[in-house]
Amino acid sequence: MRKPQNALVIGGSGTVGRAVVEALVLAGAASTFTYHIAEALANELAARTGARAEPLDLTRPGAVSLLFAHLEAIGAVPDVVVHAAAVQSQAPLLDTTPEEWERLLAV
């Protein structure tokens, strides 16, 4: 298997995404990761690993296309993409409304 040159981790500031970013950087991949709300965590991860942090709101139509256009413009088109973004709900499963399901699945 060949080593990835450019990697993108969507949701890289969360627990799982952060571990993926760290592993990719350790493997020698130039890495970019996205974050939505956790800017301070993203800045810390970027400073510690050298990975590039990019803000991304997955619920915004066209946001992913804009991100990929930006990555192409800066010469960082990924050959590996990991989707690690997630949101949580505190409601019990049987009490989850259709609107809450839509929010959970939007990412």
Side-chain angles (χ1 to χ4, degrees), residues 68-84:
F68 273 84
H70 170 67
L71 294 176
E72 183 175 27
I74 63 172
V77 174
D79 53 332
V80 171
V81 177
V82 177
H83 190 295

Side-chain angles (χ1 to χ4, degrees), residues 9-49:
V9 180
I10 298 173
S13 63
T15 303
V16 173
R18 186 170 48 249
V20 172
V21 170
E22 291 167 346
L24 287 165
V25 169
L26 188 62
S31 299
T32 300
F33 68 93
T34 68
Y35 66 92
H36 180 218
I37 297 170
E39 185 174 4
L41 287 173
N43 290 337
E44 182 275 326
L45 180 62
R48 187 168 43 79
T49 63

